Amino acid sequence: MEPEIENQIGAQFEEDLDKMLPKCDIIVINTPLTEKTKGLFDKAKISKLKKGVLIVNNARGAIMDTQAVVDGCSSGHIAGYSGDVWYPQPAPKDHPWRYMPNQAMTPHISGTTIDAQLRYAAGVKDMLDRYFKGEDFPAQHYIVKEGELAPQYR
């Protein structure tokens, strides 16, 4: 990041995650799940965090090492863990995040408003109606069609 931008926004870019983690009071995870990010927040990474850190995982549950999060919350190293994503998902009844202290988990619905739920229901009804009538779906509703990514995602 350019120094003038850093000065303007009052932040400093840190290239090295391991150097950044001990500086953070709150960690908000918004990264895709890839081979590099799967299990990224393991016991070693969590041990680098400040005692009393808050973690918000908006990304994917598998980015976190499940037991390392439980251990961090149980010991107080992590003051709070919240997420809208589980691994596996849906989470089984005995998932340890359900029972660890200082957690606030939602079942992958945190971005869902009443208005959004009404739109989801209407969209599902429309798709079912079209399916049972043998009609094609509107092009914008496809992510994959006939084994290929839809044009808007290529």
Side-chain angles (χ1 to χ4, degrees), residues 3-21:
E4 61 270 8
I5 294 173
E6 289 180 342
N7 289 334
Q8 186 179 26
I9 64 173
Q12 182 178 359
F13 179 75
E14 179 60 71
E15 180 74 31
D16 186 334
L17 179 62
D18 289 335
K19 289 181 181 174
M20 181 185 74
L21 292 176

